[in-house]
Each structure stands twice: as structure tokens, then as C-alpha cells.
Amino acid sequence: MHHLARHSVACFLTRGDLYIHWEQGRDVFERLLIDSDWAINNGNWLWLSCSSFFYQYHRIYSPISFGKKYDPNGDYIRHFIPVLKDMPKEYIYEPWTAPLSVQEKARCIVGKDYPKPVVDHEAASKECRKRMEEAYASNRLGGNPVKGNSSNSSRRKFSDGGQDVPDSSMSKQPR
């Protein structure tokens, strides 16, 4: 699985849309990927779920625009999801928006040959962003760290100018 597809899947499942715990996705990848590496798999899921290392949770990959940007013709989709191979490129990432006549011509009727969307991305990502913001806010510490205190060496400054956050508090994403 291409690393960009892994990124898109991880973001969709965790902080992007479905808000599931990163360990569930990690476990599936560990079981199914033929090139799975324990350390890389764990690190990627921690990073992409914003549970650790990366805290810019507001940067959410759209499962639609992400694909359009990196594979505008939908070649990857056509190869790995053969039922969409005849879908015109303007609908390859959103086949549910294709008129019925286009779906019939492509021999891919949404709801019959291809599933309907499990969530509305705009609404789901907005809700996840809100929940991530609440989780991060609940872990913020009041005041500025005292300079020279070694316990402050593991703190980061939010890019939005917010209060410092201990790295250890970012390792737990709410379920």
C-alpha cells in the first residue's frame, strides 16, 4: 500500500472522520500489510492520528481532495478497486455524485456495486476537529513554564500561540 494511501486511511479512520483509536488501525495494518514493520507502523499511526509527535490535528486529509491531488486520473483507484475502473475521472473520487446514467455506463451503481459513503466528510471532519481541540485543551497547562526547569524540557509550544503542552499528554487520544 502506497505511503500516501496509508496516510489518507489513517487520517480518515482517526482524527479525520471516524475518530477511532489509532491502535485499531495499527492492528489491521500489522495483520494485513505484507511489508509491515512494527516500529514504522506504530510511529506512523501515532503521527497521523495526532496522538504523539504531530499535534496539528486541524490539518485533515480529505479522502477526496487528497486523491485528486496525488492521482488526478484515479489510476491507483482503478487498479485496486476494479468496480470503479470505468468511472469517469471527474467522479472517480466521488462516485456517489455521478448521475445515474454515468453510473450505469460505468457499470457501477452506488449502493449496489459500490457502497454509499459511510459518513459525510465535511460534517465528520468538523466534529473530529472539535473533539481533538477539546482533547488538546483539556491537557493544556496553565501559565508559562519556568525557564531552566528540566521537567519543562519535554514541552512544546502550540503554533497558534497557545499554552505549553507536555509531550506525554499528547500520547493519549480519546476513544
Side-chain angles (χ1 to χ4, degrees):
M1 184 178 196
H2 193 278
H3 79 280
L4 292 177
R6 294 176 197 211
H7 286 204
S8 186
V9 168
C11 186
F12 176 78
L13 292 175
T14 59
R15 67 185 161 94
D17 289 70
L18 299 185
Y19 208 70
I20 68 166
H21 197 278
W22 68 270
E23 290 174 338
Q24 292 178 291
R26 178 216 46 204
D27 292 347
V28 170
F29 274 37
E30 183 72 26
R31 190 173 67 252
L32 298 178
L33 292 178
I34 59 172
D35 64 344
S36 182
D37 175 275
W38 186 89
I40 292 171
N41 191 34
N42 278 273
N44 283 341
W45 278 94
L46 281 166
W47 178 279
L48 291 162
S49 67
C50 288
S51 298
S52 189
F53 315 120
F54 184 70
Y55 57 91
Q56 295 178 353
Y57 59 86
H58 57 279
R59 299 174 85 186
I60 294 174
Y61 300 125
S62 164
I64 298 162
S65 62
F66 193 75
K68 286 179 178 179
K69 179 179 179 179
Y70 292 104
D71 183 22
N73 294 318
D75 297 333
Y76 187 87
I77 296 296
R78 292 175 206 288
H79 178 79
F80 288 100
I81 308 175
V83 72
L84 293 175
K85 69 181 173 44
D86 296 321
M87 189 63 68
K89 78 176 194 175
E90 58 268 25
Y91 299 111
I92 193 76
Y93 290 103
E94 299 175 278
W96 56 91
T97 65
L100 184 57
S101 61
V102 172
Q103 293 179 38
E104 290 171 338
K105 186 175 179 185
R107 295 181 308 281
C108 179
I109 308 298
V110 173
K112 178 183 171 208
D113 304 305
Y114 184 82
K116 294 179 180 180
V118 295
V119 295
D120 171 61
H121 171 68
E122 291 302 318
S125 63
K126 184 178 178 181
E127 176 63 23
C128 283
R129 191 177 296 115
K130 178 180 164 242
R131 292 173 75 181
M132 290 293 289
E133 183 177 339
E134 290 169 356
Y136 274 79
S138 72
N139 286 311
R140 289 187 182 177
L141 299 176
N144 290 321
V146 177
K147 290 187 178 191
N149 185 336
S150 63
S151 66
N152 293 328
S153 63
S154 65
R155 296 176 191 255
R156 293 187 200 182
K157 192 75 170 170
F158 275 91
S159 61
D160 66 0
Q163 297 175 341
D164 289 11
V165 175
D167 286 348
S168 62
S169 69
M170 291 188 282
S171 65
K172 296 180 182 130
Q173 179 181 0
R175 291 184 189 247

